[in-house]
């Protein structure tokens, strides 16, 4: 019995040791697995950190690169029709689908259109995305590259300030200097092209008309020459067109009436000839400047429907006839300057209808008769220029003394007779210029003698 009990106890003890050993092995296995997981996680974290470092470094490198325009390989694309990549062919088909007129120029070697396509397809680091449906963003990037090559030259043979803008960078065209894009749904669409005073001295590129969403085109104070391309008159979203003080010639097309959204039109200081076209369809005009165009003639323009017009500047030019009766309907006019024209007739008493006038110049013309007393009703006028009206007669009306906001009055070389009214001299801080051997007793005038 004792032996039997001892055997049972030994057997139970062995079983307990076996269970304990099994439990120890299980603990060791779990500990190993935990350590393996911890090591793996550590390695994964290290790998992720290394990847992030490399990505950040590459991104910084790209930012540094993007400040410079990529080298343009003229020889391999611009001059060799055989060297056309698949991307080149894809972009060409996209552009031609937007405007079939591009087909001939793109397929011809050695021109600005092909140069622009070569750049955007093969050398543009921005790598613009081809989308299903509209590819207007590709079209506008192409046009901007074309404008660059047009004025700078593919080999940078033209010297002007456009070179210094460093276009053709690997950023959105919306971030190029002198370019502004819209907001909301048009945040990637060019709406303003502001290229004034850059010494641009070639013809105006007709391809600008492909920017059909453009609202502002300002290229004044350059040296642009030739006629305005007829395609420009199809840009019916234009609100501002400023081409003043260039060397543009030819006639101003009647197709200008297509620009129904136009608010500001400045064509001053060019070499246009012929007649001023019918502008009566431009009902949204607020500013019309056609000064310093000596060969521009025809009758005074009919602008009676431009009821929002605030600024009208004409002359010197060859405009003839009398002032349009529609002029007196423009009740919002603030600036009216008609200088050195061939307009004739009596000085208009209807001028008093323009009660918002702040600057009035009717000078160096062929007006005749007396200065109407109604001019004294223009209470907002600050500057009044009536010089060199050699056909005028009579005296200076004392009603001018009611113009208490008047700061400058120019009567030089206009043969008014009689004494100068004291009421005018009593206006505070007024500056009056006159020919004093004609105009007598002007105690406050700056006198000039012929």
């Amino acid at each position: 019995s004792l032996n039997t009990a001892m055997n049972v106890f030994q057997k139970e003890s062995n079983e307990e040791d076996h269970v304990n050993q099994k439990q120890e092995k299980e603990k060791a296995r779990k500990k190993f697995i935990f350590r393996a997981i911890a090591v793996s996680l550590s390695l994964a974290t290290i790998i992720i950190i290394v990847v992030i470092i490399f990505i950040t470094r590459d991104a910084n490198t790209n930012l540094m690169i993007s400040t410079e325009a990529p080298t343009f390989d003229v020889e391999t694309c611009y001059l060799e029709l055989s060297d056309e990549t698949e991307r080149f062919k894809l972009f060409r088909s996209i552009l031609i689908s937007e405007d079939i007129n591009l087909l001939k120029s793109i397929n011809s070697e050695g021109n600005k259109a092909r140069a622009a396509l070569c750049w955007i397809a093969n050398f543009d680091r921005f790598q613009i995305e081809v989308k299903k449906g509209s590819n207007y963003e590709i079209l506008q990037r192409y046009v901007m590259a074309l404008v660059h090559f047009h004025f700078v030259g593919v080999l940078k043979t033209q010297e002007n300030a456009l070179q210094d803008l460093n276009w053709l960078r690997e950023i959105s065209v919306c971030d190029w200097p002198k370019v502004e894009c819209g907001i909301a749904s048009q945040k990637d669409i060019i709406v303003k092209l502001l290229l004034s005073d850059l010494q641009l001295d070639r013809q105006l590129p007709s391809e600008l008309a492909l920017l059909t969403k453009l609202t502002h085109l300002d290229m004044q104070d350059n040296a642009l020459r030739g006629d305005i391309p007829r395609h420009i008159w199809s840009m019916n979203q234009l609100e501002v067109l400023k081409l003043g003080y260039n060397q543009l010639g030819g006639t101003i097309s009647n197709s200008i009436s297509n620009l129904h959204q136009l608010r500001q039109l400045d064509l001053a200081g060019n070499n246009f000839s012929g007649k001023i076209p019918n502008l009566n369809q431009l009902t949204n005009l607020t500013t019309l400047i056609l000064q310093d165009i000596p060969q521009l003639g025809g009758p005074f323009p009919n602008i009676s429907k431009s009821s929002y017009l605030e600024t009208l500047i004409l002359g010197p030019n060859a405009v003839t006839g009398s002032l349009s009766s529609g002029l007196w309907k423009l009740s919002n006019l603030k600036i009216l300057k008609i200088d050195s024209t061939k307009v004739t007739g009596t000085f208009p008493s209807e001028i008093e209808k323009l009660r918002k006038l702040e600057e009035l110049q009717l000078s160096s013309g062929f007006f005749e008769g007396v200065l109407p007393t109604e001019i004294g009703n223009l209470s907002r006028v600050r500057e009044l220029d009536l010089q060199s009206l050699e056909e005028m007669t009579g005296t200076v009306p004392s009603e001018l003394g009611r113009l208490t906001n008047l700061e400058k009055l120019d009567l030089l070389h206009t043969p008014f007779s009689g004494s100068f009214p004291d009421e005018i001299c009593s206006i505070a801080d007024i500056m009056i210029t006159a020919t004093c051997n004609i105009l007598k007793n002007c105690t406050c005038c700056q006198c000039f003698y012929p």
Side-chain angles (χ1 to χ4, degrees):
S1 298
L2 180 61
N3 289 335
T4 301
M6 289 294 294
N7 289 336
V8 170
F9 175 77
Q10 185 67 38
K11 183 178 181 181
E12 290 177 352
S13 178
N14 290 339
E15 288 179 353
E16 185 177 350
D17 290 341
H18 179 73
V19 169
N20 289 336
Q21 290 176 2
K22 189 175 182 180
Q23 289 176 344
E24 289 296 326
K25 288 182 180 180
E26 182 64 21
K27 288 181 181 179
R29 188 179 69 83
K30 289 181 178 180
K31 195 172 185 179
F32 174 80
I33 292 173
F34 176 78
R35 288 179 177 176
I37 291 173
V39 171
S40 298
L41 288 174
S42 298
L43 288 174
T45 302
I46 293 171
I47 292 171
I48 290 172
I49 292 173
V50 171
V51 169
I52 290 173
I53 291 172
F54 275 98
I55 290 175
T56 304
R57 187 187 67 176
D58 289 344
N60 291 334
T61 303
N62 287 336
L63 285 174
M64 294 175 62
I65 292 173
S66 68
T67 60
E68 298 295 333
T71 302
F72 185 69
D73 190 345
V74 176
E75 297 297 329
T76 60
C77 182
Y78 171 63
L79 294 175
E80 297 182 19
L81 295 179
S82 59
D83 190 51
E84 296 183 356
T85 64
E86 290 302 315
R87 188 172 174 83
F88 179 98
K89 294 174 182 178
L90 172 62
F91 275 50
R92 176 172 56 190
S93 66
I94 291 172
L95 293 173
I96 291 172
S97 68
E98 296 286 345
D99 186 356
I100 191 65
N101 295 319
L102 294 175
L103 178 61
K104 182 177 179 180
S105 55
I106 288 176
N107 285 344
S108 301
E109 64 181 27
N111 63 53
K112 61 189 180 184
R114 185 173 179 82
L117 179 55
C118 287
W119 175 77
I120 192 174
N122 297 343
F123 304 102
D124 182 10
R125 294 198 188 113
F126 188 66
Q127 292 293 296
I128 192 167
E129 181 183 357
V130 178
K131 302 176 182 178
K132 291 183 179 180
S134 174
N135 278 288
Y136 185 79
E137 290 179 40
I138 292 178
L139 178 66
Q140 71 176 7
R141 195 169 181 86
Y142 161 80
V143 172
M144 295 303 293
L146 185 146
V147 170
H148 171 85
F149 291 125
H150 177 78
F151 287 114
V152 175
V154 178
L155 297 175
K156 295 187 177 182
T157 55
Q158 306 292 325
E159 293 186 4
N160 53 60
L162 186 60
Q163 296 183 47
D164 301 329
L165 298 183
N166 199 19
W167 280 6
L168 307 189
R169 285 185 288 167
E170 59 176 75
I171 55 178
S172 167
V173 290
C174 297
D175 296 322
W176 290 6
K178 304 290 185 179
V179 178
E180 293 184 17
C181 290
I183 58 176
S185 62
Q186 289 196 319
K187 65 181 179 64
D188 298 317
I189 302 299
I190 298 174
V191 295
K192 294 183 181 181
L193 192 55
L194 310 174
L195 301 179
S196 62
D197 196 20
L198 294 176
Q199 302 95 50
L200 306 178
D201 62 351
R202 300 195 66 186
Q203 291 182 315
L204 197 64
S206 61
E207 290 86 356
L208 283 172
L210 295 174
L211 300 177
T212 56
K213 303 182 189 300
L214 200 68
T215 62
H216 289 59
L217 178 59
D218 183 354
M219 301 185 73
Q220 61 186 347
D221 297 314
N222 285 293
L224 300 172
R225 56 183 185 268
D227 296 357
I228 296 178
R230 59 184 177 84
H231 304 86
I232 299 297
W233 307 123
S234 67
M235 302 176 70
N236 55 21
Q237 296 299 310
L238 277 181
E239 298 175 9
V240 175
L241 178 59
K242 294 183 178 181
L243 299 175
Y245 294 96
N246 283 284
Q247 299 170 20
L248 297 168
T251 60
I252 302 174
S253 173
N254 287 321
S255 298
I256 195 174
S257 61
N258 294 330
L259 307 182
H260 300 296
Q261 305 298 322
L262 207 60
R263 293 186 291 106
Q264 298 181 33
L265 176 62
D266 184 351
L267 300 177
N270 282 290
N271 301 321
F272 300 119
S273 58
K275 299 179 180 180
I276 298 176
N278 184 357
L279 303 175
N280 224 12
Q281 301 301 314
L282 305 182
T283 56
N284 290 306
L285 272 183
T286 61
T287 301
L288 175 60
I289 302 177
L290 298 174
Q291 70 187 73
D292 296 327
I293 313 175
Q295 302 305 314
L296 190 64
F300 194 88
N302 182 3
I303 48 177
S304 60
K305 294 183 179 180
S306 300
S307 58
Y308 299 108
L309 199 64
E310 297 179 357
T311 300
L312 173 60
I313 303 177
L314 296 175
N317 56 38
V319 172
T320 59
S322 59
L323 294 177
S324 168
S325 60
L327 181 62
W328 317 122
K329 298 179 181 179
L330 305 179
S331 59
N332 287 305
L333 267 181
K334 295 179 180 179
I335 299 174
L336 175 60
K337 296 185 178 183
I338 302 175
D339 174 40
S340 300
T341 68
K342 296 181 180 180
V343 173
T344 60
T346 58
F347 197 99
S349 60
E350 296 92 338
I351 195 76
E352 70 164 337
K353 295 180 179 180
L354 306 180
R355 293 298 179 92
K356 293 183 179 180
L357 276 180
E358 298 176 4
E359 296 181 31
L360 173 60
Q361 178 182 10
L362 296 176
S363 61
S364 302
F366 296 91
F367 296 111
E368 58 187 16
V370 299
L371 191 63
T373 59
E374 289 86 349
I375 200 170
N377 294 326
L378 302 177
S379 59
R380 297 187 183 184
V381 165
R382 294 180 290 101
E383 296 185 14
L384 179 58
D385 185 346
L386 303 174
Q387 67 169 308
S388 300
L389 297 176
E390 297 179 359
E391 303 298 321
M392 296 291 290
T393 59
T395 62
V396 178
S398 61
E399 285 79 2
L400 286 180
R402 299 204 299 261
L403 305 180
T404 55
N405 290 308
L406 196 60
E407 300 171 359
K408 180 180 178 182
L409 174 62
D410 194 338
L411 303 174
L412 193 66
H413 303 309
T414 296
F416 292 114
S417 59
S419 298
F420 192 81
D422 291 336
E423 293 89 340
I424 302 176
C425 286
S426 66
I427 299 174
D429 300 321
I430 190 172
M431 183 178 71
I432 304 172
T433 306
T435 309
C436 291
N437 66 329
I438 299 175
L439 193 64
K440 306 296 184 183
N441 302 321
C442 183
T443 58
C444 59
C445 290
Q446 293 186 9
C447 291
F448 290 83
Y449 298 89

